[in-house]
């Protein structure tokens, strides 16, 4: 296992290197010149040229990339063109908001998706199966930003039962702690703040979870149907075990192996793909911050954020593989076949 982990870490190096090259080139080729954006349209040509020199934008492209790469290797992702704060600090201050949103979304997607998949598989070709299939198709097909707007119109605009933006009432915002408001308010015993934070996260988490929920539902159904046709399941039924016990202890446990992988990968996707959701709901996480910085051509922030998300995705992939091997002892890593 250790050999496999080390091998995966080494293989991740060219992946991260490729990601850094792609995002660096995209920002330089397709983004607007940040000088007039930062200094304003009325800035003189001399002032803009001096600003580019000060920020290294007049250096050869290879020199700029080398400086970015060497800084990233030491944990220095540069400074924001606007706040002049370290990019690492800016991202870390917003990271808990994105993590909290992604975790709540994957919990919703996992619980509901697995439940729908199991019910759909155990009631194959029934109206329940058809309804679950339709819900899965809707979840895969519906754009997150459109779904988010619908949620805001219905629950905030029409019913007035849930807030449409933000993380918590500013007067109830916890100070210090982990940055995960649900956890911090719960640990501090501030029930009013916990309820308020929970109300704020419901709509963005639901919108973000829909696609993952649909994927998990379809994977659970497929895996469950395959497992239900295995010989050991039929044997358990022939012994007279109750249908529910067979489905839970024999079929579901083994069907969850591929589902676990999907859930892990979806968590990585949620952490990196929450930009639209955070923008629609004004959720103060990395996603919304990156979108704002793209519009302002804040190169260091966008480059650092994409690289951070890539690292997270690689780490989650590795953790999922290790968990998969733990759940299924038949899997062995690091051994040559034959």
């Amino acid at each position: 296992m250790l050999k496999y982990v080390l091998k995966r870490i080494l293989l991740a190096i060219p992946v991260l290197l490729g990601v850094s090259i792609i995002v660096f080139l995209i920002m330089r080729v397709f983004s607007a010149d940040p000088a007039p954006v930062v200094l304003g349209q009325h800035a003189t040509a001399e002032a803009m040229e001096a600003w580019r020199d000060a920020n290294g934008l007049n250096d050869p492209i290879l020199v700029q990339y080398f400086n970015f790469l060497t800084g990233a290797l030491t944990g220095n992702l540069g400074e924001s063109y606007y706040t002049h704060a370290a990019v690492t600090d800016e991202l870390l201050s917003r990271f808990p908001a994105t993590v909290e949103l992604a975790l709540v979304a994957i919990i919703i997607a996992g619980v509901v998706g697995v439940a729908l998949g199991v019910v759909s598989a155990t009631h194959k070709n029934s109206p329940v199966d058809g309804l679950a299939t339709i819900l899965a198709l809707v979840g895969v097909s519906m754009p997150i930003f459109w779904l988010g707007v619908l949620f805001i119109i219905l629950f905030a605009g029409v019913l007035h039962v849930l807030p449409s933006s933000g993380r918590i009432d500013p007067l109830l915002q916890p100070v210090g702690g982990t940055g995960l408001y649900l956890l911090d308010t719960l640990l501090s015993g501030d029930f009013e703040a916990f309820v308020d934070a929970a109300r704020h996260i419901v709509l963005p988490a639901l919108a973000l979870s829909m696609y993952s929920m649909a994927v998990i539902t379809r994977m659970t159904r497929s895996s469950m149907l395959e497992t239900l046709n295995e010989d050991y399941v039929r044997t358990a039924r022939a012994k007279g075990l109750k249908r529910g016990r067979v489905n839970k202890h024999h079929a579901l446990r083994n069907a969850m192996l591929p589902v676990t992988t999907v859930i892990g990968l979806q968590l990585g996707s949620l952490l990196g793909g929450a930009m639209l959701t955070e923008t629609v709901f004004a959720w103060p996480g990395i996603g919304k911050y990156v979108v704002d910085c793209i519009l302002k051509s804040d190169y260091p922030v966008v480059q650092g954020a994409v690289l951070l998300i890539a690292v997270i995705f690689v780490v989650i992939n590795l953790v999922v593989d290790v968990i998969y091997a733990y759940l299924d002892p038949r899997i062995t890593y690091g051994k040559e076949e034959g």
Side-chain angles (χ1 to χ4, degrees):
M1 177 63 74
L2 179 61
K3 181 180 178 181
Y4 171 77
V5 171
L6 293 175
K7 182 180 178 180
R8 284 292 302 272
I9 293 175
L10 292 176
L11 290 175
I13 294 175
V15 173
L16 296 176
L17 188 64
V19 169
S20 68
I21 293 174
I22 291 173
V23 67
F24 182 86
L25 292 178
I26 287 177
M27 292 302 299
R28 294 304 188 280
V29 174
F30 297 104
S31 294
D33 181 7
V37 180
V38 175
L39 300 179
Q41 295 294 334
H42 300 291
T44 63
E46 292 77 10
M48 288 191 286
E49 191 67 18
W51 185 88
R52 294 190 193 98
D53 283 332
N55 288 275
L57 296 178
N58 285 334
D59 295 337
I61 192 72
L62 291 179
V63 174
Q64 293 184 47
Y65 176 72
F66 179 77
N67 292 335
F68 163 65
L69 186 61
T70 53
L73 292 175
T74 59
N76 179 15
L77 298 174
E79 295 183 354
S80 169
Y81 290 156
Y82 294 86
T83 64
H84 302 292
V87 172
T88 304
D89 295 338
E90 293 276 18
L91 296 177
L92 291 179
S93 66
R94 292 167 173 82
F95 189 58
T98 298
V99 170
E100 184 173 51
L101 178 59
L103 288 177
V104 174
I106 198 63
I107 290 173
I108 295 173
V111 172
V112 178
V114 170
L116 285 176
V118 170
V119 172
S120 180
T122 54
H123 298 79
K124 184 180 178 182
N125 298 326
S126 68
V128 175
D129 185 20
L131 179 61
T133 301
I134 292 174
L135 291 176
L137 289 175
V138 170
V140 171
S141 306
M142 190 173 294
I144 290 179
F145 65 88
W146 188 66
L147 184 63
V149 172
L150 288 182
F151 281 169
I152 290 174
I153 293 174
L154 176 61
F155 293 102
V158 178
L159 301 178
H160 303 289
V161 293
L162 292 171
S164 61
S165 62
R167 292 185 69 189
I168 196 171
D169 187 321
L171 298 178
L172 299 175
Q173 183 172 335
V175 179
T178 63
L180 306 176
Y181 286 179
L182 291 175
L183 180 61
D184 291 340
T185 54
L186 194 61
L187 293 177
S188 64
D190 191 344
F191 186 70
E192 180 183 1
F194 174 78
V195 171
D196 190 71
R199 293 180 68 250
H200 277 81
I201 203 173
V202 168
L203 291 185
L206 279 176
L208 185 60
S209 68
M210 288 301 293
Y211 178 82
S212 297
M213 186 189 304
V215 173
I216 293 170
T217 298
R218 294 170 67 177
M219 175 57 70
T220 304
R221 180 183 185 277
S222 175
S223 180
M224 192 73 176
L225 285 174
E226 182 179 349
T227 306
L228 288 173
N229 290 323
E230 294 289 342
D231 291 339
Y232 64 86
V233 174
R234 286 194 288 265
T235 301
R237 288 174 179 168
K239 289 181 177 179
L241 294 179
K242 293 183 179 179
R243 181 185 180 90
R245 180 177 177 83
V246 173
N247 291 340
K248 179 180 179 181
H249 295 282
H250 295 270
L252 180 59
R253 184 173 182 179
N254 290 285
M256 282 300 295
L257 292 174
V259 177
T260 301
T261 302
V262 170
I263 292 175
L265 296 177
Q266 287 300 312
L267 175 59
S269 299
L270 293 180
L271 285 171
M275 294 184 182
L276 290 176
T277 304
E278 291 185 358
T279 302
V280 170
F281 291 95
W283 188 264
I286 289 180
K288 183 179 183 301
Y289 181 54
V290 170
V291 170
D292 294 339
C293 290
I294 289 174
L295 298 176
K296 297 187 296 185
S297 298
D298 199 342
Y299 293 172
V301 173
V302 178
Q303 293 166 178
V306 173
L307 193 58
L308 174 63
I309 292 170
V311 171
I312 292 172
F313 202 87
V314 168
V315 171
I316 289 178
N317 267 324
L318 178 58
V319 171
V320 168
D321 284 346
V322 173
I323 293 176
Y324 195 92
Y326 175 77
L327 293 175
D328 191 351
R330 296 171 298 177
I331 297 177
T332 56
Y333 292 125
K335 294 183 180 180
E336 299 293 336
E337 293 184 3

